[in-house]
Amino acid sequence: ELAGLLLADAAALAGDARFETLRRAGEILVHRVGDCASAVQPIREALAMREEDGDTIVLLADAYMGSDALAEAVELLNEAINQ
């Protein structure tokens, strides 16, 4: 599974490469695999690296909604709007 390989690779990376790898793994888990619950952690980690990255915020909101964590999605989006 590509997402699993990316997550394993991310552990050895730093900086931009780590961010991109975590985000890509999360994107695959949400949009291709449909495993939104597993996508939350790597996307949260990527977002912690770039807190104002709009695409990553939306991706995390998608992961939250797909894993029935609607309150978290609403809170995340409200915080982004109010920044």
Side-chain angles (χ1 to χ4, degrees):
E1 168 179 294
L2 180 57
L5 293 172
L6 289 171
L7 291 173
D9 286 348
L13 299 172
D16 290 342
R18 182 173 177 80
F19 169 81
E20 293 295 338
T21 302
L22 289 167
R23 191 180 180 293
R24 182 72 180 132
E27 190 172 65
I28 290 168
L29 287 166
V30 170
H31 297 298
R32 292 189 184 174
V33 178
D35 187 356
C36 293
S38 293
V40 168
Q41 186 57 38
I43 300 168
R44 285 178 64 187
E45 191 173 337
L47 188 58
M49 297 175 77
R50 293 190 191 169
E51 294 178 354
E52 296 183 11
D53 186 87
D55 291 335
T56 305
I57 291 168
V58 171
L59 182 60
L60 182 55
D62 287 346
Y64 280 146
M65 288 185 286
S67 57
D68 293 325
L70 300 180
E72 288 86 346
V74 169
E75 181 180 343
L76 175 68
L77 293 172
N78 280 334
E79 287 176 8
I81 290 168
N82 293 322
Q83 284 185 354

